[in-house]
Amino acid sequence: MITTYKAAPDIDVLTSSFPIPGFGFVPINAFVLHGPEPLLVDTGAVVEREEFMTALRSVIDPADLRWIWLTHTDFDHIGALPQLLDENRHLRIITTFAGVGIMSLSAPLPMNRVHLLNPGQQMVVGDRTLTAFRPPAFDNPSTTGFHDSKSGALFSSDCFGALLSAVPESAADLNSDELREGQIFWATVDAPWLHKVDTAAFARELDGIRAIEPTTILSSHLPAAPGAMLDRLLAALGAVPSAQPFAAPDQAALEQMLAELTAGS
Ligand SMILES: [Fe+2]
Ligand SMILES: [Fe+2]
């Protein structure tokens, strides 16, 4: 089920709690930034694309949207993208060269409707200036997040995501230990390369994010987090390189799970 809540007076969150059997829930978020040129950040999961359109219509007429910021091309971010582009001929997509390339393999983006923006570059969208950045953790080379000058919010894509036992509307309502452990677990699954990074260099990356001083952190996979939580979010991420790597269930575990399901039916 996709529900909505406000992260700021002019920012709606569309959120789905996606179950990971045996592990918990991961929120899948998209965001609507209202204003003279309304912007949608990501478009939900492919398996929930119809429901995503219904939820989107509850916060804005999709015909009023002018921009989609595609943080990256994974299946939990591109769900309603083809339909939105079909329905609204004014919509343009902010992405990267890698994003265009990956999309060309499944649902090619019309090149005259693409706006390429690289980390470090800015663009003006209505009354906002958006500054693109590469989050310190990501799972796809097309990834860009951004800082919004108007709200002060930082849109971090998959970075700062967490696996949770339940998904509240504010990260401030999470138990501190659950948040830290859920964040570390998510990062070891989503960005296992973090175990290979130089920790001093990674710490400098995290300092760069701290210097942005966002008012709110809006991750694709965490409830909205007030800026005052940034140090905690960064500290958890900083612990990932030396954390226990994710031990994924193997074939023996799968067969055991299937046997338990059969025995119970
Ligand atoms: Fe991803
Ligand atoms: Fe994602």
Side-chain angles (χ1 to χ4, degrees), residues 71-74 76-77 135 137-143 157-159 186 189-193 221:
T71 71
H72 62 299
T73 55
D74 285 352
D76 50 332
H77 299 256
F138 56 86
D139 66 357
N140 178 312
S142 68
T143 302
S157 192
D158 286 3
C159 184
W186 165 260
V189 174
D190 194 55
W193 54 266
H221 302 302

PDB file of all heavy atoms in Angstrom, residues 71-74 76-77 135 137-143 157-159 186 189-193 221:
ATOM      1  N   THR A  71      16.634   9.680  -9.556  1.00  0.00           N
ATOM      2  CA  THR A  71      17.884   9.544  -8.780  1.00  0.00           C
ATOM      3  C   THR A  71      18.752   8.421  -9.330  1.00  0.00           C
ATOM      4  O   THR A  71      19.960   8.498  -9.296  1.00  0.00           O
ATOM      5  CB  THR A  71      17.644   9.313  -7.277  1.00  0.00           C
ATOM      6  OG1 THR A  71      17.112   7.983  -7.057  1.00  0.00           O
ATOM      7  CG2 THR A  71      16.714  10.355  -6.672  1.00  0.00           C
ATOM      8  N   HIS A  72      18.113   7.366  -9.833  1.00  0.00           N
ATOM      9  CA  HIS A  72      18.804   6.322 -10.590  1.00  0.00           C
ATOM     10  C   HIS A  72      17.767   5.387 -11.188  1.00  0.00           C
ATOM     11  O   HIS A  72      16.560   5.566 -10.976  1.00  0.00           O
ATOM     12  CB  HIS A  72      19.867   5.592  -9.765  1.00  0.00           C
ATOM     13  CG  HIS A  72      19.371   4.836  -8.562  1.00  0.00           C
ATOM     14  ND1 HIS A  72      18.717   5.430  -7.512  1.00  0.00           N
ATOM     15  CD2 HIS A  72      19.453   3.516  -8.243  1.00  0.00           C
ATOM     16  CE1 HIS A  72      18.432   4.511  -6.601  1.00  0.00           C
ATOM     17  NE2 HIS A  72      18.859   3.332  -7.023  1.00  0.00           N
ATOM     18  N   THR A  73      18.224   4.398 -11.932  1.00  0.00           N
ATOM     19  CA  THR A  73      17.332   3.646 -12.818  1.00  0.00           C
ATOM     20  C   THR A  73      16.896   2.294 -12.252  1.00  0.00           C
ATOM     21  O   THR A  73      16.382   1.461 -13.000  1.00  0.00           O
ATOM     22  CB  THR A  73      18.046   3.402 -14.163  1.00  0.00           C
ATOM     23  OG1 THR A  73      19.307   2.760 -13.893  1.00  0.00           O
ATOM     24  CG2 THR A  73      18.294   4.702 -14.897  1.00  0.00           C
ATOM     25  N   ASP A  74      17.053   2.066 -10.949  1.00  0.00           N
ATOM     26  CA  ASP A  74      16.654   0.774 -10.385  1.00  0.00           C
ATOM     27  C   ASP A  74      15.130   0.619 -10.411  1.00  0.00           C
ATOM     28  O   ASP A  74      14.378   1.591 -10.462  1.00  0.00           O
ATOM     29  CB  ASP A  74      17.173   0.638  -8.944  1.00  0.00           C
ATOM     30  CG  ASP A  74      18.673   0.361  -8.903  1.00  0.00           C
ATOM     31  OD1 ASP A  74      19.266   0.133  -9.978  1.00  0.00           O
ATOM     32  OD2 ASP A  74      19.249   0.385  -7.797  1.00  0.00           O
ATOM     33  N   ASP A  76      12.947   0.026  -8.283  1.00  0.00           N
ATOM     34  CA  ASP A  76      12.143   0.661  -7.233  1.00  0.00           C
ATOM     35  C   ASP A  76      12.065   2.176  -7.414  1.00  0.00           C
ATOM     36  O   ASP A  76      11.538   2.880  -6.554  1.00  0.00           O
ATOM     37  CB  ASP A  76      12.686   0.304  -5.835  1.00  0.00           C
ATOM     38  CG  ASP A  76      14.171   0.529  -5.698  1.00  0.00           C
ATOM     39  OD1 ASP A  76      14.895   0.440  -6.707  1.00  0.00           O
ATOM     40  OD2 ASP A  76      14.636   0.808  -4.571  1.00  0.00           O
ATOM     41  N   HIS A  77      12.570   2.678  -8.574  1.00  0.00           N
ATOM     42  CA  HIS A  77      12.577   4.129  -8.816  1.00  0.00           C
ATOM     43  C   HIS A  77      11.933   4.518 -10.150  1.00  0.00           C
ATOM     44  O   HIS A  77      11.623   5.682 -10.355  1.00  0.00           O
ATOM     45  CB  HIS A  77      14.015   4.666  -8.758  1.00  0.00           C
ATOM     46  CG  HIS A  77      14.681   4.449  -7.430  1.00  0.00           C
ATOM     47  ND1 HIS A  77      14.872   5.450  -6.504  1.00  0.00           N
ATOM     48  CD2 HIS A  77      15.153   3.318  -6.844  1.00  0.00           C
ATOM     49  CE1 HIS A  77      15.448   4.952  -5.417  1.00  0.00           C
ATOM     50  NE2 HIS A  77      15.636   3.650  -5.594  1.00  0.00           N
ATOM     51  N   PRO A 135      25.839  10.742  -3.812  1.00  0.00           N
ATOM     52  CA  PRO A 135      25.794  10.317  -2.406  1.00  0.00           C
ATOM     53  C   PRO A 135      26.987   9.414  -2.070  1.00  0.00           C
ATOM     54  O   PRO A 135      27.509   8.727  -2.948  1.00  0.00           O
ATOM     55  CB  PRO A 135      24.475   9.532  -2.328  1.00  0.00           C
ATOM     56  CG  PRO A 135      23.676   9.984  -3.504  1.00  0.00           C
ATOM     57  CD  PRO A 135      24.670  10.310  -4.575  1.00  0.00           C
ATOM     58  N   ALA A 137      27.029   6.651  -0.538  1.00  0.00           N
ATOM     59  CA  ALA A 137      26.706   5.243  -0.768  1.00  0.00           C
ATOM     60  C   ALA A 137      25.658   5.172  -1.869  1.00  0.00           C
ATOM     61  O   ALA A 137      24.712   5.965  -1.879  1.00  0.00           O
ATOM     62  CB  ALA A 137      26.173   4.596   0.510  1.00  0.00           C
ATOM     63  N   PHE A 138      25.864   4.255  -2.818  1.00  0.00           N
ATOM     64  CA  PHE A 138      24.909   4.104  -3.932  1.00  0.00           C
ATOM     65  C   PHE A 138      25.085   2.715  -4.514  1.00  0.00           C
ATOM     66  O   PHE A 138      26.069   2.029  -4.238  1.00  0.00           O
ATOM     67  CB  PHE A 138      25.155   5.182  -5.009  1.00  0.00           C
ATOM     68  CG  PHE A 138      26.558   5.194  -5.547  1.00  0.00           C
ATOM     69  CD1 PHE A 138      26.921   4.381  -6.591  1.00  0.00           C
ATOM     70  CD2 PHE A 138      27.530   6.001  -4.966  1.00  0.00           C
ATOM     71  CE1 PHE A 138      28.227   4.377  -7.078  1.00  0.00           C
ATOM     72  CE2 PHE A 138      28.841   6.006  -5.438  1.00  0.00           C
ATOM     73  CZ  PHE A 138      29.178   5.190  -6.499  1.00  0.00           C
ATOM     74  N   ASP A 139      24.094   2.299  -5.311  1.00  0.00           N
ATOM     75  CA  ASP A 139      24.158   0.945  -5.879  1.00  0.00           C
ATOM     76  C   ASP A 139      24.060   0.944  -7.393  1.00  0.00           C
ATOM     77  O   ASP A 139      23.858  -0.098  -8.005  1.00  0.00           O
ATOM     78  CB  ASP A 139      23.054   0.058  -5.274  1.00  0.00           C
ATOM     79  CG  ASP A 139      21.656   0.516  -5.676  1.00  0.00           C
ATOM     80  OD1 ASP A 139      21.526   1.544  -6.368  1.00  0.00           O
ATOM     81  OD2 ASP A 139      20.687  -0.172  -5.283  1.00  0.00           O
ATOM     82  N   ASN A 140      24.169   2.117  -8.015  1.00  0.00           N
ATOM     83  CA  ASN A 140      23.941   2.211  -9.456  1.00  0.00           C
ATOM     84  C   ASN A 140      24.738   3.421  -9.955  1.00  0.00           C
ATOM     85  O   ASN A 140      24.670   4.497  -9.348  1.00  0.00           O
ATOM     86  CB  ASN A 140      22.425   2.396  -9.673  1.00  0.00           C
ATOM     87  CG  ASN A 140      22.019   2.557 -11.118  1.00  0.00           C
ATOM     88  OD1 ASN A 140      22.603   3.334 -11.872  1.00  0.00           O
ATOM     89  ND2 ASN A 140      20.988   1.828 -11.514  1.00  0.00           N
ATOM     90  N   PRO A 141      25.482   3.261 -11.054  1.00  0.00           N
ATOM     91  CA  PRO A 141      26.378   4.349 -11.487  1.00  0.00           C
ATOM     92  C   PRO A 141      25.654   5.591 -11.983  1.00  0.00           C
ATOM     93  O   PRO A 141      26.280   6.642 -12.149  1.00  0.00           O
ATOM     94  CB  PRO A 141      27.191   3.703 -12.624  1.00  0.00           C
ATOM     95  CG  PRO A 141      26.316   2.595 -13.121  1.00  0.00           C
ATOM     96  CD  PRO A 141      25.571   2.080 -11.917  1.00  0.00           C
ATOM     97  N   SER A 142      24.355   5.493 -12.221  1.00  0.00           N
ATOM     98  CA  SER A 142      23.630   6.683 -12.686  1.00  0.00           C
ATOM     99  C   SER A 142      23.179   7.577 -11.534  1.00  0.00           C
ATOM    100  O   SER A 142      22.552   8.605 -11.755  1.00  0.00           O
ATOM    101  CB  SER A 142      22.400   6.260 -13.515  1.00  0.00           C
ATOM    102  OG  SER A 142      21.421   5.634 -12.702  1.00  0.00           O
ATOM    103  N   THR A 143      23.498   7.198 -10.302  1.00  0.00           N
ATOM    104  CA  THR A 143      22.916   7.869  -9.126  1.00  0.00           C
ATOM    105  C   THR A 143      23.359   9.320  -8.966  1.00  0.00           C
ATOM    106  O   THR A 143      24.551   9.632  -8.985  1.00  0.00           O
ATOM    107  CB  THR A 143      23.288   7.103  -7.841  1.00  0.00           C
ATOM    108  OG1 THR A 143      22.822   5.760  -7.942  1.00  0.00           O
ATOM    109  CG2 THR A 143      22.680   7.779  -6.622  1.00  0.00           C
ATOM    110  N   SER A 157      18.762   9.717  -2.445  1.00  0.00           N
ATOM    111  CA  SER A 157      18.588   8.452  -3.165  1.00  0.00           C
ATOM    112  C   SER A 157      18.703   7.274  -2.185  1.00  0.00           C
ATOM    113  O   SER A 157      18.200   7.355  -1.073  1.00  0.00           O
ATOM    114  CB  SER A 157      19.575   8.365  -4.331  1.00  0.00           C
ATOM    115  OG  SER A 157      19.234   7.288  -5.174  1.00  0.00           O
ATOM    116  N   ASP A 158      19.386   6.179  -2.565  1.00  0.00           N
ATOM    117  CA  ASP A 158      19.415   4.997  -1.694  1.00  0.00           C
ATOM    118  C   ASP A 158      20.225   5.222  -0.402  1.00  0.00           C
ATOM    119  O   ASP A 158      20.078   4.462   0.562  1.00  0.00           O
ATOM    120  CB  ASP A 158      20.032   3.801  -2.424  1.00  0.00           C
ATOM    121  CG  ASP A 158      19.095   3.192  -3.465  1.00  0.00           C
ATOM    122  OD1 ASP A 158      17.991   3.725  -3.666  1.00  0.00           O
ATOM    123  OD2 ASP A 158      19.487   2.180  -4.065  1.00  0.00           O
ATOM    124  N   CYS A 159      21.098   6.209  -0.419  1.00  0.00           N
ATOM    125  CA  CYS A 159      21.968   6.470   0.741  1.00  0.00           C
ATOM    126  C   CYS A 159      21.118   6.813   1.973  1.00  0.00           C
ATOM    127  O   CYS A 159      20.120   7.529   1.849  1.00  0.00           O
ATOM    128  CB  CYS A 159      22.891   7.633   0.396  1.00  0.00           C
ATOM    129  SG  CYS A 159      24.098   8.007   1.669  1.00  0.00           S
ATOM    130  N   TRP A 186      21.196  -2.310   5.804  1.00  0.00           N
ATOM    131  CA  TRP A 186      20.812  -1.899   4.449  1.00  0.00           C
ATOM    132  C   TRP A 186      22.041  -1.589   3.597  1.00  0.00           C
ATOM    133  O   TRP A 186      22.150  -2.027   2.445  1.00  0.00           O
ATOM    134  CB  TRP A 186      19.898  -0.674   4.498  1.00  0.00           C
ATOM    135  CG  TRP A 186      19.757  -0.004   3.167  1.00  0.00           C
ATOM    136  CD1 TRP A 186      20.409   1.114   2.725  1.00  0.00           C
ATOM    137  CD2 TRP A 186      18.923  -0.425   2.075  1.00  0.00           C
ATOM    138  NE1 TRP A 186      20.036   1.417   1.442  1.00  0.00           N
ATOM    139  CE2 TRP A 186      19.129   0.484   1.010  1.00  0.00           C
ATOM    140  CE3 TRP A 186      18.037  -1.488   1.894  1.00  0.00           C
ATOM    141  CZ2 TRP A 186      18.477   0.378  -0.211  1.00  0.00           C
ATOM    142  CZ3 TRP A 186      17.382  -1.598   0.666  1.00  0.00           C
ATOM    143  CH2 TRP A 186      17.611  -0.676  -0.361  1.00  0.00           C
ATOM    144  N   VAL A 189      23.952  -4.552   2.347  1.00  0.00           N
ATOM    145  CA  VAL A 189      23.251  -5.256   1.261  1.00  0.00           C
ATOM    146  C   VAL A 189      23.328  -4.430  -0.026  1.00  0.00           C
ATOM    147  O   VAL A 189      23.638  -4.941  -1.106  1.00  0.00           O
ATOM    148  CB  VAL A 189      21.765  -5.492   1.631  1.00  0.00           C
ATOM    149  CG1 VAL A 189      20.999  -6.090   0.453  1.00  0.00           C
ATOM    150  CG2 VAL A 189      21.661  -6.396   2.851  1.00  0.00           C
ATOM    151  N   ASP A 190      23.039  -3.133   0.087  1.00  0.00           N
ATOM    152  CA  ASP A 190      22.859  -2.271  -1.088  1.00  0.00           C
ATOM    153  C   ASP A 190      24.191  -1.809  -1.682  1.00  0.00           C
ATOM    154  O   ASP A 190      24.286  -1.583  -2.884  1.00  0.00           O
ATOM    155  CB  ASP A 190      22.022  -1.047  -0.680  1.00  0.00           C
ATOM    156  CG  ASP A 190      21.499  -0.264  -1.878  1.00  0.00           C
ATOM    157  OD1 ASP A 190      20.824  -0.880  -2.732  1.00  0.00           O
ATOM    158  OD2 ASP A 190      21.755   0.950  -1.955  1.00  0.00           O
ATOM    159  N   ALA A 191      25.186  -1.640  -0.850  1.00  0.00           N
ATOM    160  CA  ALA A 191      26.478  -1.128  -1.326  1.00  0.00           C
ATOM    161  C   ALA A 191      27.615  -1.930  -0.670  1.00  0.00           C
ATOM    162  O   ALA A 191      28.394  -1.395   0.114  1.00  0.00           O
ATOM    163  CB  ALA A 191      26.607   0.367  -1.005  1.00  0.00           C
ATOM    164  N   PRO A 192      27.707  -3.238  -1.011  1.00  0.00           N
ATOM    165  CA  PRO A 192      28.724  -4.087  -0.362  1.00  0.00           C
ATOM    166  C   PRO A 192      30.152  -3.642  -0.651  1.00  0.00           C
ATOM    167  O   PRO A 192      31.070  -4.022   0.093  1.00  0.00           O
ATOM    168  CB  PRO A 192      28.435  -5.489  -0.924  1.00  0.00           C
ATOM    169  CG  PRO A 192      27.634  -5.270  -2.169  1.00  0.00           C
ATOM    170  CD  PRO A 192      26.873  -3.997  -1.961  1.00  0.00           C
ATOM    171  N   TRP A 193      30.336  -2.830  -1.671  1.00  0.00           N
ATOM    172  CA  TRP A 193      31.668  -2.301  -1.978  1.00  0.00           C
ATOM    173  C   TRP A 193      32.185  -1.378  -0.868  1.00  0.00           C
ATOM    174  O   TRP A 193      33.379  -1.083  -0.811  1.00  0.00           O
ATOM    175  CB  TRP A 193      31.658  -1.571  -3.327  1.00  0.00           C
ATOM    176  CG  TRP A 193      30.601  -0.499  -3.437  1.00  0.00           C
ATOM    177  CD1 TRP A 193      29.349  -0.628  -3.947  1.00  0.00           C
ATOM    178  CD2 TRP A 193      30.705   0.873  -3.006  1.00  0.00           C
ATOM    179  NE1 TRP A 193      28.666   0.565  -3.868  1.00  0.00           N
ATOM    180  CE2 TRP A 193      29.471   1.499  -3.298  1.00  0.00           C
ATOM    181  CE3 TRP A 193      31.722   1.630  -2.421  1.00  0.00           C
ATOM    182  CZ2 TRP A 193      29.221   2.841  -3.010  1.00  0.00           C
ATOM    183  CZ3 TRP A 193      31.484   2.968  -2.128  1.00  0.00           C
ATOM    184  CH2 TRP A 193      30.244   3.550  -2.428  1.00  0.00           C
ATOM    185  N   HIS A 221      14.868   5.414   1.013  1.00  0.00           N
ATOM    186  CA  HIS A 221      14.595   4.210   1.794  1.00  0.00           C
ATOM    187  C   HIS A 221      14.685   4.428   3.306  1.00  0.00           C
ATOM    188  O   HIS A 221      15.120   3.545   4.057  1.00  0.00           O
ATOM    189  CB  HIS A 221      15.535   3.086   1.345  1.00  0.00           C
ATOM    190  CG  HIS A 221      15.405   2.769  -0.117  1.00  0.00           C
ATOM    191  ND1 HIS A 221      14.205   2.382  -0.685  1.00  0.00           N
ATOM    192  CD2 HIS A 221      16.298   2.813  -1.130  1.00  0.00           C
ATOM    193  CE1 HIS A 221      14.382   2.198  -1.991  1.00  0.00           C
ATOM    194  NE2 HIS A 221      15.638   2.461  -2.285  1.00  0.00           N
TER     195      HIS A 221
END
